[in-house]
Amino acid sequence: MKAVIIDDNPLAIATLKADITTYCQDVELVGEAEGVLEAAKLLNQVKAELLFLDIHMNNGTGFDLLDIVEKSRYKVIFTTASEDFALKAFEYAAVDYLLKPIDPERLQEAVGKSLELGKLSDEQISIMKSTSQSKLALSTTEEIRIVGIEQILRLESSNNYTTFYLDDGEKILVSKTMKEYDFLTQMHFMRVHQSHIINMNKVKSFVRTEGGYILLTDGSHVPVSVRKKPEVIKALQMD
């Protein structure tokens, strides 16, 4: 598979080239670029199937590049020092999203996925982008998990951490405050307590005893603050 590395850090390019040469024998590097415009010109000159693409570059972002080239021609592996754009990366039908410094095993895994995939059509990219709107990227110490929003029962905060409780019983701990996920309340989620956000589609009942709490479909109890109680009751009655 012919590949191009696009990154504005020469050291990052050199390191990735060495890793690809050592660990990914099925990849042939055919070029490199340090910015959006340089990369766009390069892609017109070489036949590449795979892009190792940084996000923040000296004259734009990796997303800017994908917006000006024919996306369906390429499989894309994002390589970045930031975890903040994982969800957007998958909206662009990325094969994988690797955090720097890149672990060789993760690199091999990502390349393996690329080899298994055929070229994506514009229709497939459109489907993947619309599907990803119903998903959330959660970064743990070990991986970036993509979970369906409807899988989420509730969120619980503890200092600078947030725990996601999924409907299959799994818990995912992320090192971000719950405030980072307040956007969920623009959907069918509600903050019912300073430390709790719940999926209103997963509510079984509101129990008035013991100060009032929400009973979710998995049997868990979530406290409701005094200030939030009227709002919660009103929302449940409207449903």
Side-chain angles (χ1 to χ4, degrees):
M1 181 182 296
K2 298 182 185 297
V4 166
I5 299 175
I6 304 163
D7 196 309
D8 64 350
N9 185 328
L11 178 59
I13 291 178
T15 301
L16 184 54
K17 284 175 66 174
D19 285 345
I20 291 172
T21 301
T22 303
Y23 301 105
C24 306
Q25 305 297 322
D26 293 318
V27 175
E28 177 189 355
L29 292 173
V30 294
E32 59 191 62
E34 296 185 8
V36 173
L37 298 180
E38 182 183 347
K41 292 178 182 177
L42 175 64
L43 294 178
N44 282 328
Q45 298 168 358
V46 301
K47 291 184 178 180
E49 302 167 73
L50 175 63
L51 308 183
F52 291 95
L53 182 58
D54 190 18
I55 290 181
H56 293 291
M57 292 182 285
N58 53 32
N59 59 358
T61 70
F63 303 119
D64 294 332
L65 175 65
L66 294 178
D67 285 337
I68 63 176
V69 301
E70 189 179 343
K71 289 187 286 288
S72 60
R73 290 179 55 191
Y74 309 106
K75 302 165 189 176
V76 180
I77 296 174
F78 281 98
T79 60
T80 176
S82 172
E83 65 188 33
D84 295 337
F85 294 93
L87 184 57
K88 186 172 182 178
F90 287 104
E91 289 176 4
Y92 277 75
V95 174
D96 213 330
Y97 187 94
L98 303 180
L99 289 175
K100 299 174 183 176
I102 296 171
D103 177 74
E105 289 188 8
R106 286 286 291 117
L107 175 62
Q108 289 178 309
E109 179 183 336
V111 169
K113 291 179 185 177
S114 301
L115 293 169
E116 292 173 4
L117 290 173
K119 290 183 180 178
L120 295 170
S121 66
D122 289 334
E123 181 181 4
Q124 286 173 309
I125 290 175
S126 177
I127 291 172
M128 291 182 74
K129 288 177 70 173
S130 63
T131 301
S132 67
Q133 302 300 321
S134 62
K135 296 183 178 181
L136 190 63
L138 302 178
S139 179
T140 73
T141 56
E142 299 177 347
E143 62 183 346
I144 295 174
R145 285 287 307 280
I146 308 299
V147 303
I149 287 177
E150 279 307 317
Q151 293 178 262
I152 302 170
L153 281 168
R154 61 188 179 95
L155 293 69
E156 182 175 355
S157 70
S158 177
N159 297 319
N160 292 322
Y161 293 86
T162 300
T163 301
F164 283 76
Y165 292 81
L166 306 186
D167 54 12
D168 63 359
E170 184 179 6
K171 300 177 186 178
I172 301 176
L173 179 68
V174 298
S175 56
K176 289 186 177 182
T177 66
M178 200 163 69
K179 185 177 181 180
E180 298 282 343
Y181 303 101
D182 272 346
F183 66 87
L184 288 171
T185 62
Q186 302 302 313
M187 304 168 69
H188 47 272
F189 286 75
M190 178 179 286
R191 184 186 283 269
V192 297
H193 187 278
Q194 183 178 0
S195 303
H196 298 275
I197 291 177
I198 63 170
N199 184 340
M200 295 296 285
N201 290 341
K202 304 292 185 177
V203 174
K204 188 173 182 180
S205 65
F206 173 73
V207 181
R208 298 179 186 274
T209 59
E210 300 178 25
Y213 64 86
I214 290 288
L215 178 64
L216 296 176
T217 52
D218 68 335
S220 59
H221 295 189
V222 180
V224 178
S225 69
V226 173
R227 184 173 63 86
K228 285 288 187 178
K229 192 178 299 183
E231 183 181 346
V232 171
I233 293 173
K234 181 179 180 180
L236 291 174
Q237 288 173 339
M238 287 177 62
D239 289 344

